[in-house]
Amino acid sequence: VLLNGGIGGTIIERIERKDAVETGKKYTIYDEDFNDYVVTAKWWDYDDTMDKPGTYSVDTETIAFSIEVNEDAEDEIYYAYYYSKDKEFDKDDLSKPIYSDSITPVEYSDGRAFYDVDCSKVKKGYYVVVVASDDSLKYPYVLAYAEVK
């Protein structure tokens, strides 16, 4: 429903409406139980090519959305990236992800743990990532979007 319809506007417009109220950071957490594990979430700039959060230049190698979680998070999660040349994300754009993966939290040397939701298939356009408990994407935890200029 969130990807293929729902209440008015494009998928990005729907994320922005909810996002404007809750975070202002180009993502929305939809699942309250998952939110209990989240310390912070944001777009990362591995390649030093991001103009502002979630807006990358075309020479970016990896679009990186990371969710920092507390020590209670250990479940495997699924994510899928969708691509569109414009913000519209028509039915064809949302019919098949350009990249998907299952991941568990990675603990770094400073003791912090992250779900690293990365995509290395980068070209100019718009990306929506859906993070969910499984590949059905029926119950999304998080929706986020990025732009590559």
Side-chain angles (χ1 to χ4, degrees), residues 6 13 20 27 29 33 39 60 69 80 120 129 136 144:
E13 288 168 342
Y27 71 88
I29 298 174
D33 292 332
V39 175
T60 299
V69 291
S120 296
V129 62
S136 76

Side-chain angles (χ1 to χ4, degrees), residues 4-23:
N4 295 319
I7 302 170
T10 67
I11 187 169
I12 290 179
E13 288 168 342
R14 293 192 307 269
I15 295 169
E16 284 175 336
R17 274 198 298 275
K18 187 160 176 144
D19 172 61
V21 173
E22 295 181 5
T23 66

Side-chain angles (χ1 to χ4, degrees), residues 31-94:
D31 186 279
E32 289 181 22
D33 292 332
F34 183 74
N35 192 43
D36 289 342
Y37 298 115
V38 176
V39 175
T40 189
K42 70 179 191 174
W43 290 101
W44 286 83
D45 191 6
Y46 298 159
D47 304 316
D48 197 27
T49 58
M50 196 164 49
D51 298 335
K52 57 186 176 181
T55 304
Y56 298 88
S57 71
V58 75
D59 57 344
T60 299
E61 290 183 26
T62 302
I63 298 172
F65 185 73
S66 287
I67 304 166
E68 182 180 358
V69 291
N70 64 32
E71 66 277 353
D72 296 330
E74 56 188 37
D75 292 344
E76 182 177 72
I77 63 169
Y78 177 85
Y79 70 92
Y81 272 90
Y82 298 86
Y83 169 80
S84 177
K85 289 181 182 178
D86 56 37
K87 283 185 169 184
E88 298 305 312
F89 281 91
D90 63 26
K91 199 173 201 175
D92 290 338
D93 297 330
L94 297 172

